[in-house]
């Protein structure tokens, strides 16, 4: 569990997400992160350029997305 800054005015409501997508980040019933259960698909509403308390997690995400 992480505390994050949320600056988004749009998103997918948890009840509207496709059956094959699995949410892993939810804030106030809005999906902020999801992945596909079988395909290599991930979606994240994320502001890595903003100062936050989870810099290590930001670096982890960058490594997963760009170094594999």
């Amino acid at each position: 569990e992480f505390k994050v800054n949320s600056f988004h005015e749009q998103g997918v409501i948890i009840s509207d997400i496709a059956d094959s997508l699995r949410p892993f980040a939810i804030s106030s019933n809005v999906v902020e992160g999801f992945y596909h259960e079988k395909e290599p698909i991930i979606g994240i509403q994320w502001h890595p350029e903003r100062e936050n308390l989870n810099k290590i997690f930001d670096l982890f995400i960058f490594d997963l997305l760009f170094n594999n």
Side-chain angles (χ1 to χ4, degrees):
E1 185 172 307
F2 292 99
K3 183 173 183 154
V4 298
N5 292 326
S6 185
F7 298 96
H8 310 116
E9 295 180 9
Q10 72 285 339
V12 176
I13 304 300
I14 189 77
S15 61
D16 293 339
I17 195 165
D19 291 338
S20 60
L21 300 177
R22 298 289 174 245
F24 65 85
I26 303 167
S27 177
S28 301
N29 209 30
V30 175
V31 177
E32 300 263 352
F34 65 86
Y35 66 93
H36 192 281
E37 60 186 22
K38 296 180 182 175
E39 302 295 331
I41 298 169
I42 187 171
I44 304 173
Q45 291 207 67
W46 174 40
H47 288 282
E49 76 282 3
R50 298 192 182 208
E51 191 63 35
N52 66 63
L53 302 174
N54 302 307
K55 207 50 125 170
I56 292 171
F57 184 70
D58 289 348
L59 294 173
F60 175 74
I61 294 289
F62 270 118
D63 189 51
L64 282 175
L65 292 174
F66 302 112
N67 292 326
N68 287 321

